[in-house]
């Protein structure tokens, strides 16, 4: 996919949630940065909102360094493999479960209802994300972020009404609390009250926040690059840990495929009605290293961060090197969706059905 500096189309970057898996998005953005693909709009949910704010809240020349400061990937890949690497990853996740993650969240109710070292009066949760507030300020220039170039949006869900909520620079003054709200996965982290609304992790409703980008037909052709952190497809689980991992993936990845299917149907109707909006969605998903463990979302270890970063970098470069028809935005009106093929050599055009698959037809 050739991307032109002097382009006659816009680029939107959509970043989904996935906690510690977010270093994959950092690697993907590094590939975009090196290839000169500058997004006009960035939308993020949960850890994707944090990555997006780091990107938009720093000058281009500082973004990769600040993403590295946030994710602290190891300088070199770990040489461990097999059961030793699985033990390392499991140990890292368990340490986070017990002790929290310095600078992000600290134990709260996980150590008992009387343990509240930060004096947090937010609703009960296993961990306290008060430290996150200060860490965000160390890697994000919130004044720059709110100047809106590129425009940034963070999503969340209203705990009481179930409504999806979006905060966008230019309309809202985004602060660390908005990012805490977007990544407040219940019951691990406390919901955050903003403007009278009690807000929680956007992933509870829409883990890949495509709606803010696609809800209004664009005036110019649009290339939407969406980076998902949880795969829809995966092998049959054999162990209890693999079953837990597959459950986690399906809970969030199925949201994404349903959303894409709905938007393909909507844009198809618009095209049949004469609307000429042309949108290409490049959907890149972290397929998951085979060594990932069931607690992968809590494995913040530098070694795992480095593996995920490298995977994101590689997948994004491969995707942009492939050349679908009508590059980089498909020539026909509607929403065209492409994913990276399993051999990473090409892009496959996909169309997700809105209706469930007929099991008997599939068996035949």
């Amino acid at each position: 996919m050739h991307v032109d500096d002097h382009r006659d189309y816009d680029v939107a970057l959509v970043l989904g949630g996935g906690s510690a898996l977010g270093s994959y998005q950092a690697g993907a953005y590094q590939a975009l940065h090196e290839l000169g693909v500058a997004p006009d709009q960035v939308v993020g949910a949960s850890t994707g909102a944090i990555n997006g704010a780091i990107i938009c809240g720093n000058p281009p020349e500082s973004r990769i360094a600040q993403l590295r400061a946030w994710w602290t990937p190891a300088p070199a890949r770990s040489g461990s493999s097999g059961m030793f690497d699985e033990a390392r990853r499991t140990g890292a996740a368990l340490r986070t479960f017990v002790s929290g993650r310095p600078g992000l969240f600290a134990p709260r109710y996980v150590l008992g209802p009387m343990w509240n070292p930060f004096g947090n009066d937010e609703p009960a949760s296993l961990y306290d994300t008060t430290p996150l507030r200060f860490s965000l300020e160390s890697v994000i220039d919130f004044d720059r972020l709110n100047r809106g170039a590129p425009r940034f949006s963070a999503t969340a869900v209203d705990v009481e009404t179930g409504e999806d909520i979006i905060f966008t620079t230019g309309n809202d003054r985004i602060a660390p609390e908005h990012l805490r709200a977007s990544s407040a996965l219940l019951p691990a982290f406390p919901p955050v009250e903003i403007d009278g609304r009690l807000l929680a992790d956007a992933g509870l409703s829409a883990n890949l926040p495509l709606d803010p980008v696609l809800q209004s037909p664009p005036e110019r052709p649009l290339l939407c690059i969406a980076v998902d952190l949880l795969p829809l497809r995966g092998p049959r689980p054999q162990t209890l840990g693999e079953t837990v991992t597959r459950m986690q993936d399906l809970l969030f990845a199925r949201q994404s495929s349903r959303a894409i299917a709905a938007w393909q149907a909507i844009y198809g109707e618009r095209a049949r009605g004469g609307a000429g909006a042309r949108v290409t969605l490049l959907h890149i998903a972290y397929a998951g290293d085979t060594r990932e463990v069931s607690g992968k979302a809590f494995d913040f270890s530098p070694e795992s961060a480095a593996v995920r970063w490298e995977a994101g970098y590689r997948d994004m470069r491969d995707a942009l090197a492939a050349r679908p028809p009508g590059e980089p935005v498909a020539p026909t009106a509607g929403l065209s969706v492409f994913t990276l093929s399993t051999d990473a050599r090409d892009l496959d055009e996909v169309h997700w059905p809105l209706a469930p698959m007929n099991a008997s037809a599939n068996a035949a």
Side-chain angles (χ1 to χ4, degrees), residues 25-341:
Q25 295 173 341
Y29 176 75
Q30 182 182 357
L32 291 174
H33 178 78
E34 291 180 0
L35 292 168
V37 183
D40 304 287
Q41 177 184 8
V42 179
V43 182
S46 193
T47 198
I50 293 174
N51 279 331
I54 294 173
I55 292 166
C56 297
N58 284 283
E61 65 274 12
S62 301
R63 291 170 181 169
I64 304 303
Q66 293 291 53
L67 285 167
R68 286 193 177 279
W70 185 258
W71 291 107
T72 62
R77 291 273 305 260
S78 169
S80 61
S81 60
M83 62 185 303
F84 297 104
D85 192 61
E86 181 179 355
R88 179 194 63 76
R89 290 170 181 261
T90 301
L94 286 174
R95 283 192 295 275
T96 303
F97 279 120
V98 173
S99 304
R101 175 66 177 169
L104 300 185
F105 53 91
R108 191 180 175 196
Y109 270 59
V110 74
L111 295 181
M114 302 304 294
W115 182 258
N116 189 13
F118 293 98
N120 192 336
D121 60 359
E122 292 170 333
S125 59
L126 295 176
Y127 303 93
D128 188 339
T129 57
T130 298
L132 177 61
R133 178 186 303 141
F134 307 107
S135 296
L136 290 169
E137 292 175 338
S138 72
V139 293
I140 300 169
D141 180 341
F142 281 90
D143 288 333
R144 183 185 187 94
L145 175 70
N146 283 286
R147 287 199 288 270
R151 187 167 74 256
F152 171 71
S153 300
T155 59
V157 64
D158 189 307
V159 172
E160 295 177 287
T161 68
E163 294 173 301
D164 292 323
I165 305 298
I166 182 170
F167 299 101
T168 300
T169 54
N171 299 327
D172 308 283
R173 173 76 186 181
I174 292 181
E177 297 308 281
H178 296 82
L179 303 181
R180 285 183 65 227
S182 183
S183 54
L185 183 62
L186 308 177
F189 308 126
V192 178
E193 184 169 348
I194 297 177
D195 297 332
R197 287 183 179 267
L198 193 63
L199 303 177
D201 195 305
L204 295 171
S205 173
N207 197 52
L208 187 67
L210 293 167
D211 295 1
V213 175
L214 300 177
Q215 62 187 357
S216 300
E219 296 180 0
R220 302 204 313 163
L222 174 67
L223 172 62
C224 178
I225 302 172
V227 187
D228 229 336
L229 295 178
L230 297 154
L232 181 62
R233 292 187 172 90
R236 291 186 179 188
Q238 302 296 324
T239 67
L240 180 59
E242 290 172 355
T243 300
V244 172
T245 297
R246 196 72 195 111
M247 177 272 294
Q248 294 171 346
D249 293 345
L250 289 170
L251 277 175
F252 296 102
R254 198 67 186 99
Q255 289 182 18
S256 301
S257 64
R258 285 199 179 105
I260 292 171
W263 282 116
Q264 282 185 301
I266 291 170
Y267 272 76
E269 283 295 316
R270 289 173 177 172
R272 286 187 287 274
R278 293 163 45 211
V279 180
T280 289
L281 172 62
L282 179 58
H283 183 210
I284 307 297
Y286 177 42
D289 190 290
T290 56
R291 295 168 295 172
E292 293 284 9
V293 296
S294 57
K296 60 185 179 180
F298 266 36
D299 174 13
F300 289 89
S301 64
E303 295 86 356
S304 296
V307 171
R308 296 164 187 154
W309 186 300
E310 291 172 15
Y313 180 81
R314 180 180 62 251
D315 287 351
M316 185 60 73
R317 287 193 70 93
D318 288 344
L320 293 179
R323 298 174 181 269
E327 58 172 7
V329 179
T332 56
L335 175 61
S336 301
V337 181
F338 295 89
T339 61
L340 193 62
S341 63

